Amino acid sequence: MNPCEAVRHLNPEAWAVANRRLVRKALAEFAHERLITPEPVGPGCYAVRGAGVEYRFAARRMALDHWHIDADSLTRHPDGPLDAVELVLELREALGLSDRVLPVYLEEIGSTLAGTAYKLTRPPVAATDDFQALESGMTEGHPCFVANNGRLGFGIHEYHAYAPEAGRPVRLIWVAAHRDHAQFTCSADTSYEELIRFELGERALGRFAGVMTGLGLDLADYVLIPVHPWQWWNKLAVTFAGELATRRLVCLGEGDDDYLPQQSIRTFFNATDPAKHYVKTALSVLNMGFMRGLSAAYMEATPAINDWLAALVAGDEVLKDTGLTIIRERAAVGYRHRQYEAATDRYSPYRKMLAALWRESPVPGLEPGRRLATMASLLHPGLAAELVRGSGLRPEEWLRRYLEAYLRPLLHCFYAYELAFMPHGENVILVLDGCVVERAIFKDIAEEIVVMDPDLPLPPQVERIRAKVPEELKILSIFTDVFDCFLRHLSAALVSDGVLGEEEFWRTVARCVADYQDSVPHLADRFRRHDMFAEEFALSCLNRLQLRDNQQMVDLADPAGALQLVGTLRNPIAPYRRTS
């Protein structure tokens, strides 16, 4: 790639737009998390002061203490351009940024700005676009995190090759890993041979076997692992040099299929044959609070966890009635580098450099006339309003159908099993009939679900997902992850686009919750114990996690241990509690 062409998107006009958007988001989310306190300076106008500067803006304060800031109204005093990096430096004390975290966080902010500048060069998406066009067309990233597009480790040429918004096909690199050092596990309804033959095909398998034979090796003594090209060139070929030299690892070259990177960066959709599995790969790139590697130890139980959850969903009449399905992670493989394991603890990125999993594609299970869309698209500017208006339904009815597909199964999993997901926009796929949400598909299961019930029977190999969570914090799996981290933003989008009022939005949510509870009276004791209509709930802050430690925000084995709780939020559905 021409070095000048690679940075063509970095121009004054695009940079100004990107900074205005990110400064708006930073002020809004930092105010929401009570890191800063905007002061009223006139009707609907506010100011934030820090390090000799002042930011002024018009804003509407909404439910859940959401700051809906008018980006065009933003000004900086003394007069100067809006600069998100400067804003972080000016607010450094309020944000509590340590000397260790600050420079890395500034780099993440800079990378997020660069990503926005690039996205501004891409054609806009429409709500009716196909599945992968929507996937690559998203511009907003995680709605809560300010530095949500770091991808530290990607060079500019690698950004153009591997970023999901670039939409460029990628071919995975395959390595053979000796069975003494690698472990493959799979669901009960598949096998290593069946999966690999389906994914690679006879031609690629024959080619790989020939490479091994030429080295005097037998492919049967090895398991095959798909590798992200970045990981091969930047990590495995260097950091695993000894494994390659001793033939514990053997590079076999590229596979034949083209893949498209998804919003989660390290996951790929098979563009050559959409019926084949997604492939999730290890990627030693720092992004949004974690090094995005994959642990070989974690991979071992992945298929069993998915089999357990699939059976639970299939056997529950309430969940079946909602139409909920999951796409299982049907197989996983991990490589253990014994020297690095001897030298490190379980958190170390050196233990997460070579692993992969295969996740079912939602395409084969799609009913005729239906289409797929990432739920993140509902927060893309204007797309939710476009769906509502294109549906022919009253806005409240459109919203209610969406909530029946998304919120109702989450409520039931929580109340019936104390089972919680990480149900943000990138982790949920919507099935649409025209412009109407018909059902939801949950994904990213093994690393993201948690069982909080100490007494729910679990198979031994699934026990890993059980976590000890204080009783009063359990319901935050709904209040934080669903209400505050997603519905808060969806409400603001629909209200600002003139689709429906804020009261109508939360009244509709309340009716969905109340109707669900009425439908399962045998869970009444649990509804009283974990009250969805409580007057308030704890504010759990995501940016505070990243600002404290942007390389390991949370221990997945102890999700409650890292929570940053700051005061409370008024529950927007509390006024709509039904009285007997």
Side-chain angles (χ1 to χ4, degrees), residues 33-174:
E33 296 192 10
R34 299 168 189 175
L35 288 156
I36 58 175
T37 305
E39 300 174 11
V41 292
C45 295
Y46 299 85
V48 169
R49 299 178 180 90
V53 300
E54 180 179 273
Y55 291 85
R56 297 177 190 166
F57 51 87
R60 175 179 178 177
R61 294 188 69 174
M62 304 179 70
L64 294 171
D65 204 16
H66 180 76
W67 289 80
H68 188 65
I69 295 175
D70 177 4
D72 292 336
S73 72
L74 270 167
T75 56
R76 181 183 184 273
H77 306 273
D79 188 36
L82 296 175
D83 185 314
V85 173
E86 286 292 337
L87 175 72
V88 171
L89 289 171
E90 291 156 357
L91 298 179
R92 175 185 180 178
E93 185 175 344
L95 300 181
L97 282 159
S98 68
D99 291 343
R100 179 182 65 86
V101 171
L102 177 61
V104 179
Y105 191 72
L106 293 180
E107 188 178 2
E108 291 180 286
I109 290 288
S111 179
T112 300
L113 289 167
T116 300
Y118 176 82
K119 292 169 188 175
L120 291 170
T121 70
R122 304 291 291 162
V125 295
T128 52
D129 282 349
D130 69 29
F131 184 31
Q132 290 305 297
L134 283 172
E135 186 76 24
S136 64
M138 296 298 93
T139 61
E140 301 306 295
H142 194 288
C144 299
F145 285 102
V146 175
N148 65 16
N149 200 9
R151 302 169 186 173
L152 303 190
F154 275 1
I156 186 61
H157 61 301
E158 294 160 333
Y159 175 87
H160 283 282
Y162 307 132
E165 57 266 25
R168 289 189 168 86
V170 175
R171 290 203 171 180
L172 301 180
I173 293 171
W174 289 77

Side-chain angles (χ1 to χ4, degrees), residues 349-579:
Y350 284 94
R351 293 192 180 201
K352 302 175 183 179
M353 288 190 182
L354 183 51
L357 64 81
W358 287 268
R359 178 187 296 144
E360 291 171 323
S361 167
V363 173
L366 195 61
E367 297 86 352
R370 307 304 191 264
R371 60 190 180 90
L372 301 167
T374 172
M375 195 174 79
S377 64
L378 296 186
L379 303 186
H380 187 88
L383 290 199
E386 186 182 338
L387 286 172
V388 174
R389 289 170 179 146
S391 70
L393 300 175
R394 290 185 305 106
E396 293 91 338
E397 178 60 24
W398 183 93
L399 177 61
R400 178 60 186 262
R401 294 199 191 185
Y402 160 70
L403 293 170
E404 289 293 315
Y406 171 62
L407 177 58
R408 189 182 183 93
L410 290 171
L411 291 169
H412 188 65
C413 286
F414 174 72
Y415 281 112
Y417 308 105
E418 291 193 7
L419 165 67
F421 297 80
M422 189 66 70
H424 54 67
E426 189 275 321
N427 268 358
V428 179
I429 298 170
L430 301 177
V431 177
L432 294 139
D433 180 4
C435 291
V436 179
V437 177
E438 190 170 76
R439 61 184 181 90
I441 302 169
F442 291 174
K443 66 183 182 71
D444 216 350
I445 301 302
E447 286 191 293
E448 301 274 328
I449 65 169
V450 60
V451 168
M452 298 174 283
D453 183 346
D455 301 317
L456 184 71
L458 294 176
Q461 63 269 42
V462 179
E463 189 64 33
R464 187 192 81 199
I465 66 172
R466 194 191 309 273
K468 187 175 182 180
V469 177
E471 196 72 14
E472 70 276 10
L473 298 183
K474 290 177 179 179
I475 199 170
L476 292 185
S477 64
I478 301 294
F479 281 144
T480 297
D481 296 342
V482 181
F483 278 33
D484 194 37
C485 292
F486 198 83
L487 295 184
R488 168 168 67 96
H489 299 277
L490 179 59
S491 171
L494 293 174
V495 171
S496 64
D497 285 334
V499 173
L500 82 170
E502 191 174 16
E503 287 188 8
E504 288 79 9
F505 182 95
W506 291 110
R507 185 183 294 112
T508 304
V509 174
R511 285 173 178 164
C512 178
V513 174
D515 287 349
Y516 161 69
Q517 293 185 344
D518 288 346
S519 73
V520 282
H522 63 283
L523 297 176
D525 286 346
R526 297 190 178 194
F527 300 149
R528 285 188 287 271
R529 191 188 324 154
H530 303 292
D531 185 4
M532 281 295 302
F533 292 92
E535 289 297 319
E536 57 186 24
F537 59 87
L539 168 59
S540 181
C541 302
L542 300 190
N543 282 285
R544 285 177 180 262
L545 293 173
Q546 190 177 14
L547 292 165
R548 182 186 62 183
D549 186 348
N550 53 2
Q551 300 189 48
Q552 180 68 39
M553 287 196 308
V554 178
D555 177 4
L556 294 176
D558 181 22
L563 292 181
Q564 293 280 296
L565 303 177
V566 181
T568 60
L569 292 172
R570 291 189 60 80
N571 182 359
I573 70 170
Y576 309 112
R577 180 194 294 272
R578 288 180 180 167
T579 56

